[in-house]
Amino acid sequence: MIEVNFSPKVDENKLSGILEEIKNDEMGGFVDLPLKVSAEEVKKINETAEKIQKESEILVCIGIGGSYLGHRAIIEALRPRNGIKIVYAGNSLSERELNYALREVADKDFSVIVISKSGTTLEPARAFEAFKKKLAERYGVVGAIKRIYAITDAHKGTLHDEAKRDSYTRFVIPDNVGGRYSVLSPVGLLPMAVAGVDIEALLAGAAKVSEEADGEGVPTFAKYAFMRSLLLNKGYDTEVFASFEPATMYFNEWIKQLFGESEGKNRQGILPASVIYSTDLHSLGQFMQDGRRNLFETIINYPTDELNAKIVEAVKTAHTAGKIPVLKLDVPTYDERGFGELIYFMEMACAISAKLAGVNPFDQPGVEAYKNELKKLMEEK
Ligand code: PA5
């Protein structure tokens, strides 16, 4: 289990109220997800993954934000060897990036997973159009359809309607699970399985932490949430997530999205930032040691080897002396189980933190602002 180096005084009544609120929220479906994903669904995901692996050398994963970062985080961190190569698309509006992705499949057999809960997001929709065209050129209209897998809402949205009409293989994002809390649903599980990740072990790790929520005592993720809120109240409004494993860069990106979109509203929130050490000790290290003191550091420690353990200790001691509050989360194993634990731990800590700050952990009204501006500009021409 994940261990931490702090033990704040937790208001247990407040905590149990918050936990109840989260469980009963119409978007609280992620709380039970590790236990609710049925054996049947895992089987369907693994069988689909095997089919994709047999038919293709490359899987193109189209999606953005919560429909993208979670699976990329785990695939990049674990770099499994028994799957196929994943190419990501639809996570920006860059024409150049789209062309790079199209170039990757120029002379390779490929399949496409398109993920969008709303089914209307511009970035993935645009990439999907380009890859559909490529599939049809290569495999014909019927052949193309057999290589498209859509993960979307059960009932509505442009992608849902198209997937139904054209009979793509479909997986559902549960109604009560929001984008950034969806990595343990087919959104994350199918791409990970194709890449060779052991999704049962990942779910088992998450389930272990979920049992803490129902057990005796204060769950560790709640201690972390309370600690963050104490630090914010003392003026530490920036949290730097520090990892010592370069392959976890995308895991940091996933965490930043989770906390940023969940907490950053109503002029509230802790700004999430991230570093990878020891690389970034040679860039941001100076600021961390000696710059403006409005930040705290959360070390995500994946105990891997002896030298790494020494550098973790050295950084912790130096930064503490530099007057940065340093929180440390020890992830027990660098594998699917360990990451399953960490995913669930962070999701719960994030939802509790947002509740402690008095904001809704599950909406993202601010994301609409740029979309509206873009829509206006596009309509102008
Ligand atoms: O967490 C969220 O809800 C967002 O980051 C979404 O995942 C992101 O905007 C993509 O949305 P959609 O899956 O509807 O395309």
Side-chain angles (χ1 to χ4, degrees):
M1 280 299 240
I2 293 175
E3 287 185 12
V4 297
N5 68 333
F6 46 83
S7 192
K9 204 170 147 30
V10 169
D11 180 339
E12 295 202 27
N13 280 338
K14 190 168 186 174
L15 175 63
S16 52
I18 285 178
L19 282 175
E20 273 315 293
E21 267 179 45
I22 293 171
K23 281 184 202 162
N24 295 330
D25 193 289
E26 59 175 3
M27 296 312 288
F30 73 100
V31 176
D32 290 336
L33 213 46
L35 297 170
K36 284 246 172 88
V37 182
S38 65
E40 203 184 315
E41 186 153 27
V42 170
K43 191 163 166 263
K44 181 180 168 201
I45 290 171
N46 279 330
E47 283 171 0
T48 308
E50 263 176 50
K51 177 173 178 286
I52 295 174
Q53 288 168 346
K54 273 196 199 119
E55 289 175 354
S56 294
E57 295 160 275
I58 289 184
L59 170 69
V60 180
C61 267
I62 298 177
I64 193 166
S67 290
Y68 151 68
L69 280 165
H71 49 268
R72 183 161 195 179
I74 301 303
I75 293 166
E76 303 266 337
L78 295 176
R79 297 187 197 171
R81 298 168 74 130
N82 48 345
I84 60 170
K85 181 172 172 179
I86 311 290
V87 166
Y88 301 92
N91 53 67
S92 77
L93 283 176
S94 159
E95 196 69 27
R96 179 170 287 113
E97 281 301 314
L98 182 57
N99 285 332
Y100 286 156
L102 287 164
R103 214 160 69 187
E104 294 263 11
V105 300
D107 54 356
K108 301 265 193 308
D109 275 320
F110 69 103
S111 299
V112 170
I113 295 184
V114 54
I115 311 170
S116 178
K117 178 151 191 197
S118 63
T120 54
T121 308
L122 179 61
E123 290 90 339
R126 192 162 155 275
F128 187 40
E129 282 308 311
F131 275 96
K132 259 193 308 194
K133 194 160 162 261
K134 194 76 160 176
L135 279 170
E137 281 165 13
R138 182 85 58 83
Y139 303 103
V141 176
V142 176
I145 283 174
K146 289 189 182 147
R147 286 172 179 269
I148 297 175
Y149 301 82
I151 307 180
T152 189
D153 191 90
H155 319 283
K156 59 180 190 307
T158 316
L159 179 58
H160 162 270
D161 298 347
E162 177 181 325
K164 208 169 159 197
R165 184 195 67 211
D166 292 346
S167 307
Y168 304 152
T169 304
R170 272 191 292 154
F171 289 85
V172 164
I173 309 175
D175 287 346
N176 60 357
V177 176
R180 57 191 173 276
Y181 294 85
S182 69
V183 55
L184 300 174
S185 78
V187 171
L189 297 178
L190 182 59
M192 285 192 258
V194 179
V197 172
D198 178 349
I199 58 169
E200 278 156 298
L202 190 88
L203 287 166
K208 205 167 140 195
V209 180
S210 82
E211 281 158 16
E212 237 197 315
D214 297 323
E216 304 252 304
V218 179
T220 323
F221 51 73
K223 289 184 187 165
Y224 171 51
F226 271 82
M227 200 62 212
R228 296 177 80 250
S229 123
L230 287 179
L231 288 167
L232 178 62
N233 290 340
K234 286 186 184 160
Y236 296 101
D237 59 11
T238 300
E239 178 172 24
V240 180
F241 292 96
S243 153
F244 292 72
E245 288 296 336
T248 61
M249 191 192 96
Y250 272 95
F251 198 84
N252 286 348
E253 294 305 309
W254 175 78
I255 295 174
K256 285 193 282 187
Q257 190 226 351
L258 179 66
F259 281 95
E261 269 192 357
S262 299
E263 285 189 304
K265 50 197 72 154
N266 298 348
R267 304 291 185 257
Q268 301 282 322
I270 297 173
L271 176 70
S274 67
V275 288
I276 297 281
Y277 294 152
S278 64
T279 315
D280 287 335
L281 289 173
H282 300 263
S283 63
L284 289 176
Q286 170 61 37
F287 196 106
M288 295 301 292
Q289 187 64 45
D290 210 16
R292 190 149 64 93
R293 296 298 75 170
N294 65 326
L295 49 89
F296 65 100
E297 188 170 38
T298 298
I299 293 180
I300 304 180
N301 180 32
Y302 308 93
T304 43
D305 58 75
E306 228 175 277
L307 184 56
N308 219 22
K310 288 201 171 112
I311 179 103
V312 170
E313 214 35 53
V315 166
K316 189 169 153 283
T317 308
H319 288 179
T320 306
K323 302 267 179 283
I324 298 190
V326 181
L327 313 182
K328 187 156 78 70
L329 314 177
D330 294 317
V331 184
T333 50
Y334 194 97
D335 57 11
E336 281 88 344
R337 286 187 95 87
F339 278 104
E341 283 194 31
L342 189 55
I343 286 170
Y344 193 85
F345 179 100
M346 285 299 183
E347 288 180 346
M348 288 304 290
C350 179
I352 296 170
S353 292
K355 289 275 180 192
L356 285 171
V359 297
N360 181 349
F362 307 120
D363 65 359
Q364 56 284 327
V367 179
E368 294 309 310
Y370 95 89
K371 290 187 191 168
N372 295 337
E373 292 304 321
L374 181 62
K375 202 163 157 235
K376 272 192 244 161
L377 289 176
M378 286 173 77
E379 281 164 1
E380 261 171 30
K381 30 167 229 174

